[in-house]
């Protein structure tokens, strides 16, 4: 490999690494800035669950949940939450199976679009007509990463804003144009966009290793290029 080829490799490797480091620097600085400065807000508050009103045991709730799905499930988590005035068992099982069981009646509780709309209106004091209500079960350009499923809503006078209601905890997030730009830039810091492609860990580790190897290769090439110059200088000095 001649000197010209080594110079070209060295230059392009560190141009690439310079871009990567610049992206990490900018996204890291932005991550230290509160998201609400850009209009993005998430509100989690729910009423405290009234345990005394629940007359269904966790075992009974799991049995009703399995009956609903028609199979024995490997339940990983179960906890009590309250959405509006209804105490619910939130159940999560293997293979991304999850749902709610009403703690009063034992009936399955479905997270309906009307409920998502009420929660968004209550938490953000919205009184304008609804323009759009869509239940998202997969990521898209408006919701590239985050928990699923969510309900995406838009209202009049706030057409540039999206409201996402999370079925897991009934939290409501507001997304503005500026906050989407903010999230897009900061997501580059931890490779969050990889979540939309495949298992994040399967892509993140090779990418980090590749970045490290490129830095090492560029450094080694730089050292190789320096030594011949030093030898030439010593000869000319002699």
């Amino acid at each position: 490999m001649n000197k010209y080829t080594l110079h070209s490799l060295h230059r392009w490797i560190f141009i690439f690494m310079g871009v990567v480091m610049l992206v990490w620097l900018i996204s890291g600085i932005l991550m230290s800035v509160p998201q609400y400065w850009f209009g993005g807000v998430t509100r989690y508050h729910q009423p405290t669950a009234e345990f005394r009103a629940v007359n269904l045991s966790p075992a009974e709730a799991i049995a009703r949940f399995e009956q609903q799905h028609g199979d024995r499930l490997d339940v990983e988590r179960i906890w009590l939450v309250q959405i509006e005035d209804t105490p619910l068992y939130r159940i999560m099982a293997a293979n991304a199976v999850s749902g709610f069981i009403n703690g009063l009646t034992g009936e399955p509780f479905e997270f309906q679009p009307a409920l998502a709309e009420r929660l968004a209106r209550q938490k953000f004091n919205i009184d304008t007509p609804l323009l759009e209500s869509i239940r998202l079960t997969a990521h898209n350009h408006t919701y590239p990463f985050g928990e699923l499923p969510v309900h995406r809503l838009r209202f009049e006078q706030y057409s540039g804003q999206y409201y996402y209601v999370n079925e897991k905890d009934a939290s409501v997030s507001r997304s503005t144009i500026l906050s989407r730009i903010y999230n897009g830039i900061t997501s580059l810091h931890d490779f969050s966009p990889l979540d939309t492609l495949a298992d994040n860990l399967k892509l993140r580790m090779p990418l980090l290793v590749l970045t490290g190897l490129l830095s090492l290769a560029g450094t080694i090439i730089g050292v190789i290029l320096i030594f011949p110059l030093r030898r030439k200088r010593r000869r000319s000095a002699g």
Side-chain angles (χ1 to χ4, degrees):
M1 188 175 293
N2 58 42
K3 189 174 181 181
Y4 177 79
T5 303
L6 288 175
H7 271 296
S8 296
L9 279 174
H10 185 263
R11 180 174 66 251
W12 286 110
I13 285 174
F14 278 101
I15 286 175
F16 171 77
M17 291 305 304
V19 171
V20 170
M21 295 307 296
L22 181 63
V23 168
W24 273 344
L25 175 64
I26 294 173
S27 59
I29 292 172
L30 272 180
M31 287 180 73
S32 64
V33 178
Q35 187 179 6
Y36 65 81
W37 286 13
F38 302 90
V41 179
T42 300
R43 296 181 177 171
Y44 295 92
H45 177 69
Q46 284 294 320
T48 302
E50 181 52 67
F51 293 99
R52 294 179 182 86
V54 176
N55 50 31
L56 197 72
S57 71
E60 290 172 325
I62 292 174
R64 298 288 182 90
F65 189 64
E66 291 178 333
Q67 182 181 357
Q68 176 192 358
H69 289 273
D71 194 10
R72 182 177 178 82
L73 300 173
D74 183 12
V75 175
E76 298 174 340
R77 294 182 63 194
I78 178 171
W79 67 97
L80 197 62
V81 298
Q82 183 161 312
I83 296 179
E84 293 187 316
D85 298 326
T86 308
L88 305 166
Y89 280 105
R90 171 67 170 167
I91 302 174
M92 299 187 69
N95 300 318
V97 177
S98 64
F100 294 95
I101 294 294
N102 191 313
L104 301 177
T105 65
E107 296 297 320
F109 179 88
E110 298 294 335
F111 207 106
Q112 299 291 342
L115 171 61
E117 181 182 350
R118 287 199 304 272
L119 291 172
R121 289 185 182 278
Q122 291 168 6
K123 294 187 178 183
F124 286 92
N125 299 317
I126 300 171
D127 56 6
T128 58
L130 181 68
L131 288 178
E132 175 188 73
S133 178
I134 299 175
R135 186 176 186 265
L136 301 179
T137 57
H139 296 108
N140 60 25
H141 67 283
T142 64
Y143 191 72
F145 34 82
E147 291 185 340
L148 292 167
V150 296
H151 293 258
R152 187 186 73 196
L153 300 95
R154 281 196 308 133
F155 298 90
E156 284 188 11
Q157 297 182 359
Y158 305 99
S159 58
Q161 298 178 3
Y162 291 107
Y163 294 85
Y164 296 98
V165 183
N166 190 333
E167 289 190 5
K168 179 181 178 181
D169 56 9
S171 62
V172 184
S173 301
R174 181 179 64 195
S175 172
T176 65
I177 294 175
L178 285 178
S179 70
R180 289 192 287 275
I181 295 173
Y182 168 89
N183 289 331
I185 295 174
T186 56
S187 68
L188 299 175
H189 196 79
D190 58 0
F191 304 107
S192 294
L194 296 179
D195 291 338
T196 62
L197 301 177
D199 185 347
N200 196 13
L201 291 177
K202 290 182 179 179
L203 287 175
R204 182 180 298 191
M205 290 305 296
L207 186 58
L208 289 173
V209 171
L210 177 62
T211 303
L213 289 175
L214 283 175
S215 299
L216 180 62
T219 303
I220 293 174
I221 292 173
V223 171
I224 293 174
L225 290 171
I226 288 173
F227 278 111
L229 292 175
R230 287 184 176 179
R231 286 199 295 268
K232 287 182 180 180
R233 287 175 182 174
R234 288 176 181 175
R235 289 174 184 174
S236 61

